[in-house]
Amino acid sequence: MINLKDDVQAGVVKKRYILGRRDENEEGVLHIGRYLALDRSSGSHVAIDALKPHAILICGKRGYGKSYTMGTLIEEISLLPREIRQNVASLVIDTMGIFWTLGRGNDPQAELLQEWNMEPAGFDAEVFVPAGHVDEYKERHIEVKPFSIPVAHLHGYDWCELFNIEVTSPLGVLLVRIIEDMRENEGNFSFEDIITRINTDDKSDDVTKMAAENYLRTASSWGVFEKDACGISELIKSGCTSVLDVSAIENKIVRSAVVGIIARDTYNRRLQERRSYERMIMGDEEIEQKMPMVWMFIDEAHLFVPSKGETMASDVLINEWVRQGRQPGLSIIFATQRPAALHPDIISQSDIVICHRLTARDDIEALEAIRPTYMKETIGAAIRKMGLERGIAFVVDDTSESTHLVKIRPRYSWHGGNEPSALNERR
């Protein structure tokens, strides 16, 4: 594997630059590539700090390395020294079903890897899919684990939002009343339990009851919500990478709800963990650390935090993870093809922006709107310097108040996001 220490070429020592960090400590970094000179030659190594929490935005048009770069960062966390890695967990929200390939070495790019003094290598990653879709993956010989959320986890108001039902309508009133009563008195229950209670309700008419049953049976078919949930407690584990493949969830509202629930649960648990950490610092020897710091990766982020409107994940991702995530030790990495479609707070609050090639005017203008004062040139001018070569990125680092042109290193593991070709599609 590549040597991450100072690089020696032709007798010249090339220093490694670390973004997102003010001190000169070289431990706990994510190697992302090399500086790119104007003559297109590669210079010193470039890395990103992994000891402190960060909000990172990766953007770029299709085919220029956005998801590839995200995969590179996921690999780098797995390559951290054991004493650091055991304090970190990675959770990948996979919207396209492309990160299950982390376990396979990048043999198709073996020659490119050799140029970087690297070899193909796979990484341990557990892939979770909605419980109702496990068999579909196994038929394709993809090893996965089931994931589901307790039916009782959602309030009646949440179900109304999922179903796009007015809470003040007869149907909404029925759902909220029954579900809230069951949450208070029964604790855990299934869709069938709710339907049974609805059908015996004497305050609603038959048409409303039938409508409620239809909605609940539809929700049951999603394969996401179950009475006895599985997998949710396994997503965050010390020193491990988990991939939650939500590509099988066709309903975008449901997909956002799943991400929102996981994000809020993780945030709340890390808040408690942070309090335990402070008690340990104060000398309390009976406190035990139960949950590591978390790096959450979200591909196609504009689906969850759009520039217009809200999803069931918007509030927790923006207000808890982006604005307040540093204190509880939460890092979040967003990737999108369309910066203009992304909530502006995500762009403005990111302390590191990794921008691959963009050509749409509104996308460039979205980044230009938050261009820091220390940048002497426009975002558009910086993007033009990258040229047409894939894998080149313009990086803005708020911590050091600097900008960089970087050639992203190749991945050790197989990239599942390559475009298919009709020439070899059936080979």
Side-chain angles (χ1 to χ4, degrees), residues 88-103:
V88 178
S90 298
L91 173 59
V92 184
I93 305 299
D94 187 0
T95 58
M96 300 295 292
I98 62 174
F99 287 104
W100 62 272
T101 58
L102 282 165

Side-chain angles (χ1 to χ4, degrees), residues 9 14 34-44 64 115-116 355-357 381-394 404-408:
Q9 289 185 355
K14 296 185 177 181
R34 295 177 181 269
Y35 275 117
L36 186 69
L38 293 177
D39 63 0
R40 316 309 282 180
S41 63
S42 297
S44 302
Y64 278 87
E115 294 175 11
W116 285 70
C355 179
H356 291 282
R357 181 170 172 78
I383 290 174
R384 285 193 291 273
K385 287 183 179 179
M386 292 190 291
L388 299 176
E389 185 179 353
R390 298 185 180 189
I392 306 299
F394 176 70
H404 315 270
L405 196 61
V406 178
K407 186 179 182 68
I408 304 297

Side-chain angles (χ1 to χ4, degrees), residues 37 63 96 132 150-151 174 179 200 202 204 219 227 234 241 245 259 261 269 274 287 296 300 359 362 374 410:
M96 300 295 292
V151 174
L174 172 63
I179 291 174
T200 57
D202 58 4
S204 301
K227 179 178 181 178
E234 301 176 58
T241 298
D245 187 346
V259 173
I261 290 168
R269 289 169 61 195
R274 180 64 184 181
I287 294 294
M296 183 160 68
E300 303 299 332
T359 54
D362 57 345
Y374 52 81

Side-chain angles (χ1 to χ4, degrees), residues 45-234:
H45 290 302
V46 181
I48 292 177
D49 168 69
L51 298 181
K52 300 291 185 180
H54 296 282
I56 300 175
L57 171 63
I58 306 172
C59 57
K61 65 184 297 182
R62 186 179 70 180
Y64 278 87
K66 166 184 60 69
S67 298
Y68 194 101
T69 297
M70 177 175 279
T72 297
L73 292 177
I74 296 168
E75 291 179 354
E76 284 296 318
I77 292 180
S78 296
L79 291 172
L80 288 170
R82 184 178 181 278
E83 64 272 15
I84 298 175
R85 189 175 69 250
Q86 67 184 2
N87 297 320
V88 178
S90 298
L91 173 59
V92 184
I93 305 299
D94 187 0
T95 58
M96 300 295 292
I98 62 174
F99 287 104
W100 62 272
T101 58
L102 282 165
R104 180 72 65 86
N106 188 9
D107 296 316
Q109 292 186 311
E111 291 185 8
L112 176 61
L113 285 165
Q114 191 172 19
E115 294 175 11
W116 285 70
N117 192 28
M118 299 166 61
E119 295 180 358
F123 294 83
D124 291 333
E126 292 187 326
V127 181
F128 294 83
V129 302
H133 297 271
V134 169
D135 290 342
E136 299 171 18
Y137 287 78
K138 290 186 175 179
E139 287 176 2
R140 293 174 172 81
H141 305 286
I142 301 175
E143 187 174 342
V144 296
K145 287 183 148 187
F147 165 85
S148 58
I149 294 172
V151 174
H153 191 95
L154 275 68
H155 289 273
Y157 300 98
D158 297 325
W159 287 110
C160 286
E161 186 172 355
L162 270 173
F163 298 142
N164 195 24
I165 296 171
E166 289 288 341
V167 295
T168 55
S169 68
L171 179 55
V173 170
L174 172 63
L175 287 171
V176 171
R177 177 166 52 81
I178 295 295
I179 291 174
E180 291 306 307
D181 180 70
M182 294 181 72
R183 279 172 55 88
E184 182 178 351
N185 297 303
E186 298 183 26
N188 198 22
F189 47 84
S190 66
F191 285 116
E192 288 299 329
D193 294 332
I194 303 175
I195 291 171
T196 299
R197 281 287 301 275
I198 285 175
N199 287 333
T200 57
D201 182 66
D202 58 4
K203 295 182 180 180
S204 301
D205 61 85
D206 290 341
V207 174
T208 303
K209 292 179 184 179
M210 291 174 61
E213 180 176 348
N214 287 339
Y215 274 110
L216 292 168
R217 293 202 182 282
T218 297
S220 178
S221 71
W222 294 334
V224 177
F225 301 97
E226 296 182 331
K227 179 178 181 178
D228 299 309
C230 56
I232 192 167
S233 62
E234 301 176 58

